[in-house]
Amino acid sequence: MLRNLFKSRVLKFLILIVTMFVLTRIPASAAIPNLDGDTHPNRLKLSECLIDLKKAADWDGEQASEAARRICELRQDHAKQKARFLASQDQLTKIYKDSSRFKEYLPTAITDSWQIVKSCIDFKEGFTSTHNIEDLTLPEKIRSQCYSLGADFIESHLSALRERYK
C-alpha cells in the first residue's frame, strides 16, 4: 500500500511543492560556499599555528615562534575580513529583502558577490608559487585581500545608497 502512495502522482506533486516552498524560504546568505581551501581561519591559537608551521617547515626556537605568530595574525585578519564580507551581505539582504522592486535580484547579487571573492582567490592563486612557510601565509593573505575586496564592493554600494536617500 505504501508503494502505491509513492507512485501516486498527487503525492509526488505535494512533495515537489513542499520542497520548493522550503527551498525558497532559505535566505540567500545561508548558502555560504567554502572558499577557505587549505587555510585555517579558525585555528587562531599560537599552539595551533605552531603545529601547522612544524608540518610545513622544519624550524625551531624563536624563528618558529615568530613565524607562528605571523601565521596567527594572518588567520585573524582572514577571519575578520570574511566576517566583514558576511556582515555586508547581511546588510544588503536587510535593505532589499522587502523591496518589491529589487528583492528578485537579491539572490543573484549575493551569489555574484561570492563569485567576485572566488574569482579574486582563483586569480591570485593562479599566479603564485609557494614553498615552506609561504604555504601557510600566502593563502591566508590572499583570502583576506579577496574578502576585503568583496566587502568593499558591497559597502560602496550601500554607501552610495545611503547618500542617495539622505
Side-chain angles (χ1 to χ4, degrees), residues 26 42 44 72 79 99 109 121 127 149 154-155 157 161:
I26 297 173
N42 298 325
L44 302 173
C72 282
S99 168
I121 292 169
F127 288 102
L149 174 73
I154 295 171
E155 289 169 356
H157 170 73
L161 186 66

Side-chain angles (χ1 to χ4, degrees), residues 14-153:
L14 286 174
I15 291 171
L16 178 67
I17 296 298
V18 169
T19 302
M20 288 174 46
F21 178 77
V22 169
L23 290 177
T24 59
R25 297 298 177 245
I26 297 173
S29 61
I32 298 175
N34 180 9
L35 301 181
D36 292 333
D38 292 334
T39 63
H40 302 285
N42 298 325
R43 291 178 54 86
L44 302 173
K45 294 179 184 173
L46 185 58
S47 60
E48 294 170 326
C49 294
L50 195 54
I51 289 169
D52 294 340
L53 172 70
K54 296 281 185 181
K55 292 177 187 174
D58 190 22
W59 292 359
D60 289 318
E62 188 56 37
Q63 183 183 25
S65 295
E66 184 57 37
R69 277 192 286 279
R70 180 70 181 133
I71 291 167
C72 282
E73 288 172 5
L74 291 169
R75 287 178 176 176
Q76 288 170 357
D77 192 50
H78 171 178
K80 177 183 168 187
Q81 294 305 324
K82 183 175 183 178
R84 183 175 152 239
F85 174 70
L86 292 171
S88 68
Q89 282 187 329
D90 286 344
Q91 287 178 331
L92 189 71
T93 300
K94 285 177 187 172
I95 289 172
Y96 288 114
K97 71 178 179 178
D98 295 324
S99 168
S100 59
R101 186 170 166 207
F102 294 111
K103 73 177 176 186
E104 69 183 86
Y105 300 107
L106 188 57
T108 302
I110 296 297
T111 300
D112 288 349
S113 66
W114 278 106
Q115 188 59 48
I116 288 168
V117 173
K118 181 182 182 323
S119 294
C120 174
I121 292 169
D122 291 345
F123 175 82
K124 287 181 175 269
E125 286 187 343
F127 288 102
T128 61
S129 175
T130 63
H131 69 285
N132 215 344
I133 189 175
E134 285 182 332
D135 290 343
L136 299 173
T137 59
L138 198 57
E140 298 290 350
K141 287 179 189 175
I142 288 172
R143 277 155 182 81
S144 180
Q145 292 167 351
C146 293
Y147 280 121
S148 179
L149 174 73
D152 288 347
F153 183 76

